[in-house]
């Protein structure tokens, strides 16, 4: 399994020729987290990649984890992963049902595109087997840089009018406190699993100047981090029989 310490292309990367439609470091960090979970529970073999894009992360899983069964969902119906069991095309803003339950549900860089994050997690929860979990990633809005960028521009770095255009539709910001709140409302355990995806390689000259000039503010602002992305787990509290 690769780690985020490796030199990689952050955007416009691919896995075996399949485009990665996000920060590629997120895929690597998420894979590291899945690998650790797999080592602890190798019998967990039913996977769902709920917003697979072209299927780069699904293909990485198929190649890495022995004997898993993975279903993929993509609204644009352009999945290139080889070896997926079933491919669906469900609108995640609506009530959705895959008629199966899974040990692992993957929601990589999708929740920020959706209208109602509570509705989304609630629909994913009903697809979890006892002891299963949702692995979710989303842009982080809690970093020191994001706090400053909001002060400067009126919105977090990955959002606003520019963010909607550049990201293909980032409309919903999810700070860590809100993710934890959703987990509590839905009776799921919440775990932060990665701090590996740092913001500093993305922010450009203007951002670095902003950080340097306003660095003293860091000592007066609560709950800061330097993450570009948040990668977390929502874990079912139901016990395996």
């Amino acid at each position: 399994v690769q780690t985020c310490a490796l030199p990689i292309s952050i955007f416009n990367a691919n896995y075996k020729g399949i485009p990665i439609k996000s920060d590629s470091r997120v895929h690597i960090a998420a894979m590291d987290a899945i690998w650790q979970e797999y080592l602890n529970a190798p019998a967990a073999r039913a996977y769902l990649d709920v917003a697979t894009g072209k299927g780069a992360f699904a293909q990485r899983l198929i190649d890495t984890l022995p004997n898993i069964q993975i279903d993929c969902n993509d609204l644009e119906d352009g999945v290139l992963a080889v070896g997926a069991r079933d491919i669906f095309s469900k609108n995640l803003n609506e009530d959705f049902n895959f008629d199966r339950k899974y040990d692992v549900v993957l929601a990589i860089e999708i929740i920020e595109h959706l209208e109602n994050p509570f509705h989304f997690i609630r629909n994913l929860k009903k697809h979890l087997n006892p002891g299963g979990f949702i692995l979710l990633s989303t842009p982080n809005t809690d970093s020191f840089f994001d706090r400053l960028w909001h002060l400067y521009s009126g919105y977090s770095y990955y959002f606003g009018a520019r963010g909607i255009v550049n990201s293909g539709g980032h409309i919903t910001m999810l700070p860590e406190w809100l993710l934890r709140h959703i987990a509590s409302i839905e009776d799921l355990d919440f775990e932060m699993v990665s701090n590996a995806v740092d913001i500093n390689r993305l922010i450009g000259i203007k951002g670095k100047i902003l950080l340097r000039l306003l660095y003293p503010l860091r000592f007066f602002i609560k709950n800061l981090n330097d993450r570009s992305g948040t990668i977390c787990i929502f874990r079912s509290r139901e016990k395996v029989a």
Side-chain angles (χ1 to χ4, degrees):
V1 178
Q2 291 178 301
T3 69
C4 283
L6 294 175
I8 55 173
S9 174
I10 294 178
F11 294 109
N12 302 314
N14 69 83
Y15 176 77
K16 290 191 171 179
I18 303 175
I20 296 173
K21 298 179 71 176
S22 71
D23 183 332
S24 61
R25 300 172 303 166
V26 171
H27 278 213
I28 294 172
M31 188 66 240
D32 286 348
I34 288 289
W35 179 247
Q36 293 304 314
E37 293 286 336
Y38 181 83
L39 292 177
N40 292 330
R45 302 200 182 279
Y47 287 67
L48 170 65
D49 191 355
V50 77
T52 198
K54 295 298 182 182
F57 193 73
Q59 190 67 63
R60 192 186 295 270
L61 287 169
I62 292 165
D63 294 344
T64 305
L65 305 183
N67 302 318
I68 68 163
Q69 293 182 321
I70 185 166
D71 295 337
C72 295
N73 177 69
D74 181 65
L75 189 59
E76 296 177 359
D77 196 26
V79 179
L80 301 176
V82 176
R85 177 175 55 179
D86 278 319
I87 296 175
F88 305 107
S89 183
K90 309 275 188 180
N91 186 339
L92 301 177
N93 280 315
E94 300 173 354
D95 289 331
F96 53 86
N97 191 353
F98 294 99
D99 297 320
R100 288 178 181 148
K101 292 201 170 185
Y102 299 90
D103 303 308
V104 180
V105 175
L106 306 157
I108 306 297
E109 302 298 291
I110 180 59
I111 195 169
E112 65 276 2
H113 293 263
L114 301 179
E115 298 164 0
N116 188 334
F118 289 82
H119 169 270
F120 178 58
I121 297 298
R122 191 173 302 125
N123 271 268
L124 294 187
K125 177 187 172 183
K126 73 185 182 184
H127 290 90
L128 288 178
N129 283 325
F133 66 90
I134 302 160
L135 181 81
L136 180 144
S137 76
T138 190
N140 176 47
T141 60
D142 292 320
S143 72
F144 179 51
F145 174 73
D146 266 271
R147 304 289 184 89
L148 296 181
W149 193 261
H150 197 285
L151 184 67
Y152 165 74
S153 66
Y155 48 83
S156 292
Y157 189 63
Y158 293 105
F159 294 88
R162 178 186 61 85
I164 288 176
V165 172
N166 292 343
S167 68
H170 285 187
I171 59 172
T172 303
M173 295 185 294
L174 288 120
E176 184 176 334
W177 72 262
L178 183 54
L179 292 168
R180 290 184 180 275
H181 179 64
I182 295 172
S184 175
I185 292 293
E186 297 303 327
D187 197 33
L188 296 162
D189 287 329
F190 180 90
E191 303 165 25
M192 188 66 67
V193 299
S194 177
N195 288 314
V197 186
D198 69 272
I199 190 74
N200 293 316
R201 292 176 63 184
L202 303 178
I203 60 178
I205 298 297
K206 185 186 293 184
K208 289 175 181 174
I209 292 172
L210 192 66
L211 278 179
R212 185 176 293 273
L213 289 176
L214 298 179
Y215 186 82
L217 290 177
R218 192 179 186 97
F219 300 103
F220 302 97
I221 302 176
K222 295 181 178 180
N223 303 316
L224 293 179
N225 60 64
D226 292 310
R227 293 194 307 262
S228 170
T230 294
I231 303 174
C232 60
I233 281 176
F234 294 82
R235 195 180 302 274
S236 171
R237 292 177 179 170
E238 294 184 63
K239 301 300 182 184
V240 179

